[in-house]
Amino acid sequence: MASTAHSTEAPNGVKSGKEDGKRRRKRGKEGLKRAEEAARTHGKGKKTHADGVVAAGSNWERLKREIGAGSKKRKRNEPLEGEEVEAQKPPAKLPRPLSGDLSDTHIVALDCEMVGVGEGGVRSALARVSVVNYYGNVLLDTFVKVIEKVTDYRTEYSGVRPSDLREAPTFHEVQKQVAKILQGKTVVGHALKNDFQVLLLKHPGSLTRDTARFKPLCIKRRDGSRGRPRPLRHLAKEHLGFQIQGGEHSSVDDARAALYLYHKFRQTWEKEMLVLSRRKRKRK
């Protein structure tokens, strides 16, 4: 009986598959070697965590902290994030002269600053007086030496300090100056009764224009009659856009604010004064 011979050579497909696998493993080892070499060459100064992730070295971390790497460039004087910064307030809009006219006009505005005298500083005494002409230019602005002992300078509101009164002219000198300027003129102001009281002066009602008593500028009552006066600072802001009396008061600024309110309402105001004048004549 003839015997059958068995060949030990593997099929062609199996042989080529084994060779491809060897070549892939070889290329993988060579690629791993190149990656390790690159890491050694370019990764100096860096740390490698246990999971194989390359971390930045301590020098780079320190440099980042110093220059703020990864963040936008900070402008000069720009606050750091989280840093407390005082809010920058816009400059206050104060009343200014309308022109350079320094003439002694027929219409002027008056305002006074007072200090406290007597026990507790309850009574008021003249400490500063300002008079401006129709265009807002100063005709008189002076501190006044107080006759009585000052017990409350009210600096927070009056802006008056002891040093302001040491070399100031006497009350009688200033009173005489003011009386001369106001004589025969129309005087504008806010709560003028208080100013004339501390000046110890009287002025005809027909020649006063008080923004604290002008009906359109007062708080209106339900029945339409004139109510309580409004603060000058509120009127100045609402009608003129001025910001006055934010802290220490200025009698010049206050006089101008009252004057410019009069400018705005002059036509209506003078018509009202004319009607009142005619009524008084009829009564007589």
Side-chain angles (χ1 to χ4, degrees):
M1 178 181 293
S3 62
T4 304
H6 295 281
S7 174
T8 59
E9 186 177 351
N12 290 336
V14 176
K15 182 177 180 180
S16 60
K18 290 181 178 179
E19 290 176 353
D20 290 342
K22 288 179 180 180
R23 283 195 294 270
R24 283 196 295 271
R25 286 194 293 272
K26 184 178 180 181
R27 284 197 299 269
K29 290 179 180 180
E30 290 175 352
L32 182 58
K33 287 181 180 179
R34 286 196 298 270
E36 291 175 349
E37 182 64 25
R40 284 194 297 271
T41 304
H42 301 289
K44 291 180 180 180
K46 297 184 179 180
K47 297 177 182 178
T48 304
H49 295 304
D51 57 4
V53 178
V54 179
S58 59
N59 290 338
W60 171 240
E61 291 293 340
R62 185 173 65 253
L63 187 60
K64 281 204 300 183
R65 288 194 297 271
E66 292 175 354
I67 67 173
S71 61
K72 65 179 182 179
K73 187 176 181 180
R74 189 165 66 96
K75 297 178 181 179
R76 178 180 287 186
N77 299 328
E78 182 182 349
L80 296 170
E81 185 178 355
E83 181 180 352
E84 286 192 17
V85 181
E86 184 178 354
Q88 297 295 316
K89 297 180 180 179
K93 185 181 178 184
L94 298 172
R96 303 296 183 192
L98 302 178
S99 75
D101 191 330
L102 301 174
S103 61
D104 188 5
T105 54
H106 179 69
I107 297 174
V108 297
L110 167 73
D111 191 77
C112 299
E113 299 297 343
M114 296 90 158
V115 292
V117 296
E119 186 177 353
V122 177
R123 290 188 293 111
S124 295
L126 181 66
R128 181 184 177 185
V129 57
S130 301
V131 182
V132 300
N133 69 4
Y134 185 75
Y135 305 101
N137 290 298
V138 175
L139 298 177
L140 176 69
D141 181 28
T142 180
F143 288 103
V144 184
K145 187 174 290 184
V146 183
I147 298 173
E148 298 184 57
K149 182 180 178 181
V150 179
T151 51
D152 185 359
Y153 282 89
R154 305 174 184 174
T155 306
E156 182 180 356
Y157 304 104
S158 70
V160 179
R161 293 168 174 76
S163 58
D164 296 325
L165 308 184
R166 289 190 190 116
E167 303 299 326
T170 65
F171 171 82
H172 296 292
E173 290 173 325
V174 174
Q175 183 194 45
K176 191 175 181 179
Q177 284 181 284
V178 175
K180 185 178 180 180
I181 294 173
L182 301 187
Q183 187 174 7
K185 292 185 173 67
T186 298
V187 180
V188 182
H190 189 79
L192 283 170
K193 178 182 177 181
N194 299 330
D195 297 321
F196 289 133
Q197 187 173 345
V198 294
L199 281 163
L200 300 180
L201 292 175
K202 291 184 179 181
H203 201 72
S206 60
L207 293 177
T208 59
R209 302 292 184 270
D210 195 335
T211 55
R213 295 181 58 80
F214 184 49
K215 185 177 176 180
L217 297 178
C218 293
I219 297 173
K220 295 180 181 179
R221 291 177 177 169
R222 292 182 179 180
D223 60 2
S225 61
R226 185 184 68 198
R228 293 182 293 106
R230 296 179 60 193
L232 180 60
R233 67 179 183 277
H234 293 173
L235 295 173
K237 185 175 182 179
E238 179 180 329
H239 295 283
L240 305 172
F242 294 141
Q243 296 177 359
I244 62 171
Q245 301 179 352
E248 297 179 7
H249 294 195
S250 164
S251 49
V252 172
D253 290 342
D254 292 355
R256 286 173 177 159
L259 175 68
Y260 299 155
L261 284 168
Y262 171 73
H263 281 202
K264 182 173 182 178
F265 293 94
R266 181 179 180 180
Q267 192 172 9
T268 304
W269 207 326
E270 292 305 326
K271 283 182 180 179
E272 184 178 301
M273 293 300 295
L274 186 60
V275 170
L276 291 173
S277 177
R278 288 174 179 172
R279 286 178 183 173
K280 287 182 179 180
R281 288 174 188 171
K282 288 182 179 180
R283 290 172 185 172
K284 291 179 181 180

